[in-house]
Amino acid sequence: MELAKNMLTILLSAILVDNFVLSKFLGICPFLGVSKKLDSALAMSAAVIFVMVMATAATWPIYHYLLLPNYGYMQTVAFILIIAALVQLVEVVMKRFVPALHRALGVYLPLITTNCAVLGVTVLNIDEAYGFGESLVNALGAGLGFMLAMVLFAGVRSRLEAADVPESYQGLPITLTAAAIVSLSFMGFSGIVEGIFK
């Protein structure tokens, strides 16, 4: 029971309280670049979830069993190489089986390699001293939080396209203002998640 409660706390915290995009401000590039349409936002989010979970599954044992004893300083380099390999795998599969979606995502798909949210979740798992299972749950929660932020913001941006925005405020200014308001709305979740599991 205690293990399930701990896992659920980690999952909900990663999705709502410690949302990588809206609370930690990691992964902003795809958040702003791919959130114009719901289908591309969902596809990017699915790719990020896959890469986050697989990167965590690969980096946690590599760090603890290979790097930690003598080569802990190689953590960032090793993690980036693993993430880059996983992104290449996703890109090859997507190009082969879903070429239209591959074209729609364009340059943002390879940018998952440099998405600091993906690297951030792997490093955070080590810094928080999570076990393997906890790390996977945290990575899944971070990916689901990324998806939640992308889907919410895709809805906001579709509403902005229909809104009568002053000319000087169109484009990036209104997008950043809307992102800030969506981000502020997530601050209210911190008390809720802590209150549920006390």
Side-chain angles (χ1 to χ4, degrees):
M1 183 65 182
E2 189 64 34
L3 178 65
K5 183 178 174 182
N6 184 39
M7 293 293 195
L8 193 57
T9 302
I10 291 171
L11 183 69
L12 287 177
S13 293
I15 295 172
L16 299 174
V17 180
D18 297 323
N19 187 292
F20 273 72
V21 177
L22 299 173
S23 296
K24 295 182 183 294
F25 307 109
L26 299 172
I28 297 294
C29 178
F31 175 69
L32 294 175
V34 187
S35 62
K36 289 181 183 177
K37 295 181 181 174
L38 182 60
D39 55 347
S40 58
L42 285 171
M44 173 60 86
S45 299
V48 168
I49 290 171
F50 175 79
V51 171
M52 279 185 173
V53 173
M54 295 308 293
T56 297
T59 56
W60 193 93
I62 286 173
Y63 177 79
H64 282 88
Y65 299 117
L66 293 176
L67 298 178
L68 187 59
N70 299 313
Y71 306 106
Y73 61 90
M74 294 292 292
Q75 170 186 341
T76 305
V77 174
F79 287 10
I80 289 173
L81 290 174
I82 292 166
I83 292 166
L86 287 169
V87 170
Q88 287 301 309
L89 174 70
V90 169
E91 188 171 10
V92 166
V93 168
M94 207 174 269
K95 189 173 186 178
R96 172 99 167 103
F97 296 107
V98 198
L101 185 58
H102 181 265
R103 283 190 301 275
L105 291 176
V107 72
Y108 293 102
L109 187 59
L111 282 178
I112 295 176
T113 303
T114 58
N115 186 342
C116 51
V118 178
L119 180 61
V121 76
T122 59
V123 172
L124 182 73
N125 290 330
I126 303 300
D127 291 347
E128 293 290 328
Y130 286 150
F132 185 69
E134 293 170 327
S135 296
L136 289 177
V137 169
N138 187 48
L140 177 63
L144 291 172
F146 184 86
M147 178 180 274
L148 178 64
M150 292 284 282
V151 168
L152 283 175
F153 203 58
V156 169
R157 288 183 84 169
S158 69
R159 298 290 294 251
L160 284 175
E161 287 179 11
D164 185 25
V165 178
E167 187 178 339
S168 62
Y169 208 55
Q170 290 177 1
L172 191 58
I174 190 68
T175 302
L176 292 175
T177 302
I181 293 169
V182 172
S183 177
L184 280 172
S185 67
F186 270 66
M187 293 179 74
F189 289 121
S190 60
I192 295 172
V193 172
E194 289 172 10
I196 290 174
F197 295 108
K198 278 189 178 178

